[in-house]
Amino acid sequence: MRYKDKHQLAAEWQALLERTPKPLRQAVETLVEHHGQSFADHFYRVMLEDPHASLFLSNDQVEQRLHPSMQRWLKAMFAVEHADFESLVEQQEKVGQVHARIDIPVNLVLSGARQLKQVFYQQINATFKSPLSPGDASVYVSDHIDMAMEIMSHAYSVASDRNARTEEAYKLFSLTQSIGDERERQRSALLNWENALMFAIAAQQDIATLPRLSNSDFGLWYFHKACMRSRACRRLPLFHAIFSKWIVSGWKC
């Protein structure tokens, strides 16, 4: 199912912003300017205390890159005037793609969003007075964060699917390479047994002293690996019948 394009998402986000009175938006923007650092502090403190989330974070990462990035993200999210909503959409898509690349589970992202909402609500309830409505401000903040999470989650899903297909393609390539190597090894093993047999016949040696083909490296590989791996091959029963009848009569896979 095709997801909304950037133009649709940008239009939805713009409508979301414009339905909220400007004085309320300005108050939230001011709140972010004054408390953005404490919001980011709370967010990463909770994430670092979470044993699962902390696997993807370090104190150095938080201090040097992630904390400042969070503050910039909040300012961009809650700016009163957005000149380009498509750029805002693209920013959320990039975040979702990064999360997919480093394999951060979606549940951790949503947990972080919930923690962020809670600290917003607490600060709104503590500072917003009439005529500003703490309830309306909380809805505005929640809708904005939810919009960002929707876009991030879709970008995450698309990137994860792409990564999974790439990984499967690599595994298939590796498998075909392994099959090619295995084929050459077994061809060499069979030729070694054949050469030993031909040399013994030419030298009029007692071939009974030679290992049976079934006990050779190739024979052991055939009965213990090839039969198990290749049951779907149409030619295998015919080959096995000939192999068993003429060379190793009595053996069965």
Side-chain angles (χ1 to χ4, degrees), residues 121-137:
Y121 299 158
Q122 292 169 4
Q123 197 60 48
I124 286 171
N125 290 329
T127 59
F128 279 34
K129 307 298 180 184
S130 182
L132 296 174
S133 167
D136 290 346

Side-chain angles (χ1 to χ4, degrees), residues 55-89:
L55 296 174
F56 300 90
L57 298 169
S58 70
N59 288 316
D60 289 341
Q61 285 178 321
V62 170
E63 291 175 7
Q64 296 174 14
R65 294 190 299 105
L66 300 178
H67 195 287
S69 295
M70 170 63 76
Q71 293 183 68
R72 289 193 298 272
W73 181 77
L74 289 171
K75 288 180 180 179
M77 283 279 292
F78 295 103
V80 172
E81 302 295 340
H82 286 288
D84 188 354
F85 281 90
E86 288 190 19
S87 294
L88 191 62
V89 170

Side-chain angles (χ1 to χ4, degrees), residues 126-248:
T127 59
F128 279 34
K129 307 298 180 184
S130 182
L132 296 174
S133 167
D136 290 346
S138 296
V139 170
Y140 168 69
V141 167
S142 180
D143 285 348
H144 259 50
I145 293 178
D146 287 347
M147 187 77 185
M149 291 303 105
E150 176 187 338
I151 297 169
M152 284 184 198
S153 297
H154 178 256
Y156 180 99
S157 176
V158 171
S160 293
D161 289 344
R162 187 184 305 117
N163 292 344
R165 288 195 297 271
T166 300
E167 186 175 347
E168 286 301 316
Y170 176 76
K171 287 180 179 178
L172 182 59
F173 173 76
S174 299
L175 179 61
T176 56
Q177 292 296 103
S178 298
I179 290 174
D181 293 342
E182 184 75 5
R183 181 178 62 244
E184 293 305 315
R185 281 195 297 271
Q186 298 312 320
R187 179 181 293 171
S188 176
L190 181 58
L191 288 175
N192 287 340
W193 180 88
E194 180 187 5
N195 288 337
L197 176 63
M198 297 303 293
F199 179 81
I201 292 173
Q204 297 183 344
Q205 296 177 352
D206 184 6
I207 61 173
T209 60
L210 294 176
R212 296 176 65 191
L213 180 55
S214 58
N215 293 329
S216 69
D217 289 342
F218 174 79
L220 293 173
W221 169 83
Y222 173 77
F223 283 110
H224 295 286
K225 289 187 178 180
C227 285
M228 299 302 297
R229 293 180 181 176
S230 308
R231 290 193 184 279
C233 178
R234 295 183 193 174
R235 297 181 180 179
L236 183 66
L238 176 61
F239 175 72
H240 181 58
I242 297 172
F243 195 60
S244 299
K245 179 178 180 181
W246 295 107
I247 303 180
V248 285

